Amino acid sequence: MFPIILDDKVELRLLTDQDAPLMFDLVTRNRAHLDQWLRWSARVQTLDDVTALIRRFAQKYADGDGFHAGIWFEGQLAGGLVCHYIIRESSKTEIGYWLGAEFVGKGLASRAARAVINHLFAVEKLHRIEIQCGVGNFASRAIPERLGFTQEGIKRESDWITTRYVDHVLYAMLAADWDGE
């Protein structure tokens, strides 16, 4: 599946141990931006934490149960696209995305999500893909809305984010409804 080349400036590739210092630097520089919405970033406090996260997702990829791909823009790590799990019995998954503040507004997360969704439906033959976004995270919510996902409801206080529980909007796309464009 990887790398996925979106154009001459943007690609998705699995994160490796060698990427840990770059990811640690990006998360550290963007802590205020990321920690308000991400379920995992506040727990990443050391380089070892980042390496462990990368290795956990590398194992998930090897097991066919998800992945964490870096979004690379002009050779720089800009963020990531996460497939949290794949439930084969129900043919479904949840994806998420994150970007350093300096990379927001370039269409990177939308384009990365579209490419991964195309793969998950066409190659993995999944039936359903979910995206959860903090109710107040309007930039993140714009992505599933732009991609045509259906808003299915609000999950009240569904996840602990840094210092508080956050309500999440649940979006979903079914394979039959995905046009891939």
Side-chain angles (χ1 to χ4, degrees), residues 3-24:
I4 298 174
I5 309 298
L6 299 180
D7 61 32
D8 61 341
K9 293 182 179 185
V10 184
E11 72 175 305
L12 300 173
R13 65 177 190 259
L14 292 177
L15 294 166
T16 67
D17 285 0
Q18 291 74 27
D19 301 318
L22 294 172
M23 183 174 168
F24 180 66

Side-chain angles (χ1 to χ4, degrees), residues 100-121:
E102 63 269 36
F103 298 103
V104 171
K106 299 179 184 309
L108 299 173
S110 292
R111 293 179 61 212
R114 183 182 310 281
V116 166
I117 292 164
N118 281 334
H119 173 84
L120 292 170
F121 282 142

Side-chain angles (χ1 to χ4, degrees), residues 14-80:
L14 292 177
L15 294 166
T16 67
D17 285 0
Q18 291 74 27
D19 301 318
L22 294 172
M23 183 174 168
F24 180 66
D25 179 62
L26 184 62
V27 170
T28 300
R29 284 187 290 113
N30 286 277
R31 189 144 309 277
H33 169 69
L34 299 173
D35 285 358
Q36 63 183 326
W37 300 117
L38 295 182
R39 293 178 260 185
W40 57 268
S41 62
R43 293 188 307 270
V44 173
Q45 296 294 321
T46 67
L47 182 58
D48 287 343
D49 294 339
V50 173
T51 301
L53 180 71
I54 288 171
R55 288 180 180 171
R56 183 168 57 89
F57 274 98
Q59 186 60 55
K60 288 176 84 59
Y61 184 71
D63 294 341
D65 186 34
F67 55 83
H68 191 165
I71 301 172
W72 299 84
F73 176 68
E74 296 180 342
Q76 294 182 351
L77 180 62

Side-chain angles (χ1 to χ4, degrees), residues 64-111:
D65 186 34
F67 55 83
H68 191 165
I71 301 172
W72 299 84
F73 176 68
E74 296 180 342
Q76 294 182 351
L77 180 62
L81 192 296
V82 180
C83 177
H84 293 283
Y85 55 79
I86 297 176
I87 300 175
R88 301 285 174 186
E89 297 81 15
S90 298
S91 298
K92 69 179 182 178
T93 189
E94 177 193 345
I95 66 168
Y97 36 80
W98 62 279
L99 293 170
E102 63 269 36
F103 298 103
V104 171
K106 299 179 184 309
L108 299 173
S110 292
R111 293 179 61 212

